[in-house]
Amino acid sequence: LSKIIDNPIINIETKKDIFYKLLVENNISEHASFQLITEKAIKLYPEEPIFNLILADIYAKEGKYSLAISHYNRSLNSGLIKDEYVYTKLIEIYFSQKDFDLALNTTKLAIDRYPYNARLYYYSGLAHFNKNEYLKTIEVLLTAEEFIIDEPLFKSEVFSLIGDSYHKLGRHNQSDEAYLTALIYNEQNVYVLNNYSYYLALRGEHLNVAKEMIVKCNELTANSPNASFLDTYAWVLYKLEEYSLAKIQIMKAIDLQANSATLFDHYGDILEKLGLFKDALVQWKKSLSINPNDTLLKEKIKAYE
């Protein structure tokens, strides 16, 4: 490959074709020497999109995101790889850097060129959600939903985020409806089962339904327990006044995640209901040490000191 790149007799189109076929058909990019050869190719052909794309992928895998971004931008309009791929890689990098403005700008550029790509709209909605722009999130995701065909799991994710957005807006009926729709498309969507269950518990509504959902959620994740899901189960049980069972679940959650202010706070609340006031005080103080600005927590501690 190194000799091919250096050889002036071989034209650029042949070189591009060789690199592209190797990239698609082999694991050549895993070899360290391939990066050196591609970097050599860039020096000889700095504006050639396919070489920039290959190098961008290599840098992205290594976490060298600023270099990857630069080369991805130069790789647009390669003619060999659809630019949808390039835009998606750029969006993923911006999300990993929590730069939601750049993620949003890139999705807009991508949607202008690929107006029927549902995943681009989903990324746009996710960026708006992270910017706390919930109405815009819902608007974009409803557009995405129109372009999803024969992908029920993806459709479930879209309605899950719509449900989260309505919840943030305090529009609980619409949030519930979106979550139910998400579960129609994927009854095993554990994040919907957890979130919907937890929000019902916070509102003190349909608690038996909430219990059924969170039990199913934890059964589905039994091989890889999730502290947040166990906490939800504990809180549903708390709301149902099943305090001894709630204690078992919250202890399981804390075993998995011993640095959560929410978990210690909930544990203290459960212990209080069991009449274990001194133990509750210990847990609330642990919570306060992690989240020292929680005024409600300070009030609970003051009441028992």
Side-chain angles (χ1 to χ4, degrees):
L1 278 176
S2 184
K3 290 179 179 179
I4 288 169
I5 283 295
D6 286 335
N7 194 326
I9 298 172
I10 302 173
N11 66 51
I12 181 62
E13 295 304 319
T14 301
K15 293 176 182 179
K16 285 163 53 179
D17 189 51
I18 290 169
F19 268 72
Y20 175 70
K21 286 181 178 178
L22 282 170
L23 191 68
V24 171
E25 298 171 5
N26 297 274
N27 62 348
I28 190 76
S29 61
E30 295 178 8
H31 297 280
S33 58
F34 185 65
Q35 178 175 335
L36 297 174
I37 294 167
T38 308
E39 288 172 340
K40 180 191 287 189
I42 286 291
K43 287 179 181 178
L44 293 170
Y45 309 100
E47 301 305 320
E48 187 53 54
I50 190 64
F51 297 138
N52 277 286
L53 177 59
I54 293 168
L55 199 53
D57 278 345
I58 291 170
Y59 286 145
K61 286 180 181 178
E62 294 178 346
K64 298 177 180 178
Y65 295 129
S66 60
L67 289 172
I69 289 167
S70 174
H71 288 290
Y72 275 131
N73 281 315
R74 292 181 192 173
S75 75
L76 290 166
N77 306 307
S78 70
L80 293 172
I81 300 289
K82 282 190 177 181
D83 286 346
E84 285 171 291
Y85 172 81
V86 179
Y87 285 126
T88 299
K89 298 301 289 186
L90 284 168
I91 292 164
E92 288 173 354
I93 288 174
Y94 293 138
F95 269 109
S96 72
Q97 296 178 325
K98 300 189 184 302
D99 193 333
F100 304 116
D101 287 322
L102 278 176
L104 196 56
N105 290 338
T106 306
T107 60
K108 287 177 180 177
L109 291 172
I111 287 169
D112 284 342
R113 292 189 55 190
Y114 305 99
Y116 306 112
N117 186 319
R119 292 191 182 277
L120 294 174
Y121 289 96
Y122 179 78
Y123 284 130
S124 178
L126 194 58
H128 281 298
F129 185 84
N130 281 283
K131 286 165 61 66
N132 303 323
E133 297 168 352
Y134 303 119
L135 286 173
K136 191 66 179 177
T137 300
I138 294 164
E139 177 187 338
V140 173
L141 291 177
L142 288 174
T143 303
E145 189 268 334
E146 295 176 9
F147 300 127
I148 302 173
I149 300 171
D150 297 330
E151 290 187 87
L153 299 183
F154 181 31
K155 216 159 198 175
S156 180
E157 291 304 316
V158 168
F159 279 103
S160 172
L161 191 53
I162 290 173
D164 292 343
S165 301
Y166 276 128
H167 170 75
K168 292 287 188 180
L169 293 167
R171 291 158 64 168
H172 301 309
N173 288 338
Q174 288 165 297
S175 175
D176 291 354
E177 184 179 337
Y179 286 139
L180 287 170
T181 304
L183 290 173
I184 288 171
Y185 286 109
N186 178 15
E187 63 181 13
Q188 296 187 354
N189 189 324
V190 292
Y191 292 101
V192 174
L193 290 168
N194 176 75
N195 291 357
Y196 189 19
S197 177
Y198 187 64
Y199 297 147
L200 286 175
L202 289 179
R203 284 150 45 194
E205 299 176 5
H206 309 296
L207 293 175
N208 287 321
V209 173
K211 184 178 179 180
E212 288 178 12
M213 286 193 294
I214 197 58
V215 166
K216 182 175 182 178
C217 176
N218 280 289
E219 286 175 348
L220 289 168
T221 55
N223 292 329
S224 182
N226 182 299
S228 180
F229 299 167
L230 291 165
D231 174 55
T232 296
Y233 190 13
W235 204 241
V236 170
L237 292 168
Y238 174 88
K239 289 285 187 168
L240 286 165
E241 300 182 4
E242 299 178 31
Y243 303 122
S244 295
L245 293 176
K247 180 184 175 185
I248 293 171
Q249 297 305 320
I250 199 67
M251 289 174 68
K252 289 180 182 178
I254 290 172
D255 283 342
L256 292 173
Q257 186 179 345
N259 61 344
S260 168
T262 300
L263 295 184
F264 288 125
D265 187 19
H266 284 174
Y267 192 15
D269 290 350
I270 292 166
L271 292 171
E272 180 192 28
K273 291 295 185 181
L274 289 167
L276 303 170
F277 305 120
K278 289 183 179 179
D279 292 339
L281 193 59
V282 170
Q283 300 305 321
W284 286 331
K285 286 183 176 180
K286 287 182 183 178
S287 179
L288 190 64
S289 69
I290 299 170
N291 185 17
N293 297 318
D294 191 327
T295 54
L296 291 176
L297 200 53
K298 288 177 182 178
E299 291 175 9
K300 286 191 282 191
I301 292 170
K302 186 178 179 180
Y304 284 100
E305 280 188 324

